């Protein structure tokens, strides 16, 4: 890649700092975001919110070792503008959507706060591990300034692992670019020592977190800066920084006609007929990609 001319977009990069007992992930989304957002005519505030959520999802989801594993973020409201926000990551594919009250948004400030968007809402983060079939979920209140802060709270409260999440979003020329940084203190301590994740004031983590906090939102969302360059800027004075494999990210929706037909076929015939319209069609709309799928009842029932 020619660093001077080629944008670094739709990619996640992992790295580790063994001497500091830390690991990290950095991601930047571009065309994948455009494709997700193009499915709905979101106003700027909702567009930015979903871009942040998809970036958080890509940061956390790309840590899954098995490509069939899935990370899902779901934020629900209690008296806020947003009724529901959902996004997920699986095997390098991201998707998401937001259901919101357009009238309340129109009456809100241009850049509404997280409380205005969600009220006394909460964020649920779910890891579905394909290798073992296990599911882990943590729920944290949306009481900070951003989704990034809520994700940090998840790992501290649910996993007891000190973490740092930073997100940057910018829009130029009608295109949105979003970048994110995710740092964690490794939970495993050396044999015979106190487990690191129980020592929230550990100096090694304080050092890494302080460096990570200097990363600017504009740098994260600058497609001209390769991800490797950002890692180098933060940790070039460390004795050992190991760059791990990178992951390509794309917009992905799993609403294939075959999958939907299979789901509909599980319903009893009388229920299928009740779902059909006057033309004998069952119309299924995908909230993620805004695609409508019409299925003739006669094809489902034979």
């Amino acid at each position: 890649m020619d660093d001077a001319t080629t944008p670094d977009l739709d990619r996640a990069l992992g790295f580790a700092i063994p001497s500091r007992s830390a690991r990290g992930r950095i991601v930047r989304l571009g065309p994948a975001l455009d494709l997700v957002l193009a499915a709905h005519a979101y106003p700027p505030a909702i567009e930015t919110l979903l871009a942040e959520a998809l970036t958080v999802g890509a940061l956390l989801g790309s840590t899954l070792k098995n490509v069939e594993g899935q990370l899902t973020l779901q934020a629900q409201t209690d008296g806020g503008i947003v009724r529901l926000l959902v996004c997920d990551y699986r095997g390098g594919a991201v998707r998401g959507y937001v259901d919101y009250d357009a009238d309340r948004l129109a009456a809100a400030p241009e850049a509404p706060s997280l409380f205005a968007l969600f009220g006394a809402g909460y964020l649920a983060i779910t890891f579905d591990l394909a290798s073992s079939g296990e599911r882990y979920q943590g729920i944290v209140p949306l009481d900070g300034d951003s989704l990034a802060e809520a994700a940090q709270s998840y790992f501290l409260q649910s996993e007891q692992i000190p973490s740092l999440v930073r997100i940057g979003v910018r829009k130029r020329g009608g295109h949105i670019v979003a970048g994110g940084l995710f740092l964690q203190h490794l939970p495993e301590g050396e044999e015979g020592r106190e487990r690191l994740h129980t020592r929230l004031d550990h100096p090694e983590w304080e050092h890494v977190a302080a460096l990570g906090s200097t990363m600017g939102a504009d740098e994260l969302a600058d497609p001209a800066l390769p991800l490797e360059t950002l890692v180098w800027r933060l940790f070039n004075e460390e004795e050992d920084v190991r760059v791990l494999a990178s992951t390509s990210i794309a917009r992905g929706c799993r609403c294939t006609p075959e999958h939907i037909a299979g789901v509909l076929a599980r319903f009893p015939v009388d229920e299928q007929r009740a779902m059909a319209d006057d033309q004998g069609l069952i119309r299924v709309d995908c909230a993620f990609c805004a695609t409508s799928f019409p299925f003739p009842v006669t094809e489902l029932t034979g």
Side-chain angles (χ1 to χ4, degrees):
M1 180 180 71
D2 185 346
D3 293 345
T5 60
T6 305
D8 194 358
L9 295 166
D10 292 343
R11 191 165 71 98
L13 180 71
F15 59 92
I17 312 171
S19 63
R20 300 290 184 181
S21 300
R23 61 187 173 190
R25 181 81 41 170
I26 194 162
V27 67
R28 189 180 295 122
L29 302 178
L33 272 183
D34 284 340
L35 289 172
V36 172
L37 297 173
H40 301 273
Y42 292 120
I46 300 300
E47 200 174 52
T48 299
L49 175 67
L50 184 53
E52 292 175 350
L54 289 165
T55 304
V56 172
L59 277 174
L60 306 187
S62 61
T63 64
L64 292 167
K65 295 180 180 179
N66 191 304
V67 295
E68 293 301 320
Q70 179 170 308
L71 178 282
T72 303
L73 299 179
Q74 180 170 318
Q76 288 190 288
T77 184
D78 183 5
I81 294 168
V82 174
R83 289 186 282 257
L84 177 67
L85 179 152
V86 179
C87 65
D88 64 38
Y89 172 101
R90 188 173 75 177
V94 294
R95 63 177 184 171
Y97 76 95
V98 182
D99 179 28
Y100 64 97
D101 187 321
D103 293 334
R104 294 190 62 182
L105 179 63
E110 182 178 351
S113 66
L114 198 69
F115 181 78
L117 288 169
F118 291 101
Y122 67 86
L123 176 68
I125 301 180
T126 306
F127 288 90
D128 288 292
L129 307 182
S131 56
S132 62
E134 295 176 285
R135 167 179 284 194
Y136 299 95
Q137 184 181 74
I139 298 175
V140 292
L142 285 163
D143 55 6
D145 293 329
S146 66
L147 287 176
E149 285 191 17
Q152 284 183 189
S153 297
Y154 164 82
F155 284 101
L156 186 58
Q157 296 178 22
S158 300
E159 306 292 334
Q160 297 183 326
I161 301 175
S163 304
L164 175 72
V165 181
R166 294 184 69 85
I167 302 294
V169 179
R170 77 177 188 182
K171 186 173 185 178
R172 289 186 180 179
H175 299 282
I176 284 188
V177 175
L181 172 68
F182 177 38
L183 294 172
Q184 279 193 307
H185 201 27
L186 292 171
E188 299 82 15
E190 295 178 11
E191 186 176 355
R193 293 179 57 189
E194 183 180 8
R195 287 176 61 83
L196 295 178
H197 74 278
T198 65
R199 302 170 60 184
L200 304 186
D201 60 347
H202 196 284
E204 292 172 350
W205 169 246
E206 291 177 353
H207 174 81
V208 171
L211 291 177
S213 296
T214 66
M215 178 60 69
D218 55 339
E219 295 175 286
L220 288 169
D222 186 349
L225 291 174
L227 301 183
E228 288 84 356
T229 297
L230 296 185
V231 175
W232 183 87
R233 283 185 177 183
L234 288 177
F235 304 113
N236 64 86
E237 295 185 0
E238 299 302 315
E239 63 182 44
D240 183 19
V241 179
R242 300 177 186 176
V243 176
L244 309 176
S246 68
T247 302
S248 297
I249 299 175
R251 174 264 195 187
C253 200
R254 298 186 286 279
C255 59
T256 65
E258 295 77 14
H259 173 72
I260 296 173
V263 173
L264 292 175
R266 298 172 193 164
F267 287 89
V269 173
D270 57 340
E271 292 187 24
Q272 293 178 15
R273 291 173 177 162
M275 289 187 279
D277 59 19
D278 293 340
Q279 287 75 44
L281 298 174
I282 300 176
R283 301 183 185 275
V284 179
D285 299 325
C286 176
F288 288 102
C289 66
T291 302
S292 181
F293 297 88
F295 292 90
V297 172
T298 54
E299 290 186 7
L300 295 171
T301 61

